């Protein structure tokens, strides 16, 4: 039988996911401990602002921190019929090691620099910046879930 302690949520949106999350990092760690979980993860939308706070809270609470971000994603930022396309697809990106943390921060910076309605990354970014990362389709708003 699977119990709560067997499950680790790596797709938790904290208060750092604007209009999409309300969980506070310290409360997430407390709840993970209550459920007997050995790890917990965060994936803020389009940023990595809460990563360090969560990392230290998790370490203090005896929980393994899993760090990541859920990026808004487009194949390319080239205009279609002369118009920019709004990013509406998601990719979950999780850090595997220190190199991955550096890469995640570089992707976050690229996303912020490319901001159009939302901070987003493109396929070329992932081709260039992927060291130390696990990249997943993420959720129902992912490009993979919309394929026909």
């Amino acid at each position: 039988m699977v119990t709560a302690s067997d499950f680790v949520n790596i797709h938790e949106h904290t208060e750092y996911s604007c209009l999409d999350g309300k969980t506070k990092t310290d409360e997430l760690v407390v709840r993970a401990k209550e459920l007997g979980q050995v790890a917990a993860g965060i994936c803020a939308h389009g940023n990595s602002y809460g990563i360090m706070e969560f990392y230290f809270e998790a370490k203090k609470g005896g929980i393994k921190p899993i760090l990541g971000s859920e990026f808004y994603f487009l194949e390319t930022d080239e205009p279609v019929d002369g118009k920019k396309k709004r990013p509406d697809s998601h990719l979950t990106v999780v850090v595997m090691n220190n190199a991955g943390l550096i890469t995640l921060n570089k992707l976050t910076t690229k996303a912020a620099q490319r901001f159009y309605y939302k901070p987003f990354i493109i396929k070329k970014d992932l081709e260039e910046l992927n060291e130390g990362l696990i990249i997943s389709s993420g959720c129902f708003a992912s490009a993979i879930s919309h394929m026909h």
Side-chain angles (χ1 to χ4, degrees), residues 67-130:
L67 310 174
S69 182
E70 185 172 7
F71 285 98
Y72 298 103
F73 177 77
L74 282 173
E75 287 286 322
T76 178
D77 60 352
E78 296 294 319
V80 177
D81 296 328
K83 295 181 181 178
K84 284 188 172 186
K85 190 174 175 192
R86 288 177 68 161
D88 60 358
S89 181
H90 300 174
L91 283 179
T92 300
V93 177
V94 177
V95 170
M96 291 190 322
N97 51 33
N98 287 339
L101 185 59
I102 293 166
T103 305
L104 183 76
N105 286 330
K106 288 178 181 178
L107 282 173
T108 301
T109 299
K110 282 213 178 258
Q113 291 169 338
R114 189 175 278 113
F115 195 99
Y116 182 68
Y117 285 90
K118 301 171 183 175
F120 71 97
I121 58 174
I122 60 174
K123 183 178 176 183
K124 182 180 173 196
D125 297 333
L126 294 176
E127 290 168 351
E128 295 171 0
L129 298 168
N130 56 49

Side-chain angles (χ1 to χ4, degrees), residues 30-92:
V30 168
R31 184 66 177 143
K33 284 289 270 195
E34 288 173 356
L35 295 173
Q37 296 176 336
V38 296
I42 62 168
C43 266
H45 261 158
N47 71 70
S48 56
Y49 304 141
I51 281 181
M52 293 314 294
E53 178 184 337
F54 175 69
Y55 176 85
F56 290 115
E57 285 291 332
K59 287 293 191 178
K60 186 171 71 175
I63 297 288
K64 179 181 179 174
I66 299 174
L67 310 174
S69 182
E70 185 172 7
F71 285 98
Y72 298 103
F73 177 77
L74 282 173
E75 287 286 322
T76 178
D77 60 352
E78 296 294 319
V80 177
D81 296 328
K83 295 181 181 178
K84 284 188 172 186
K85 190 174 175 192
R86 288 177 68 161
D88 60 358
S89 181
H90 300 174
L91 283 179
T92 300

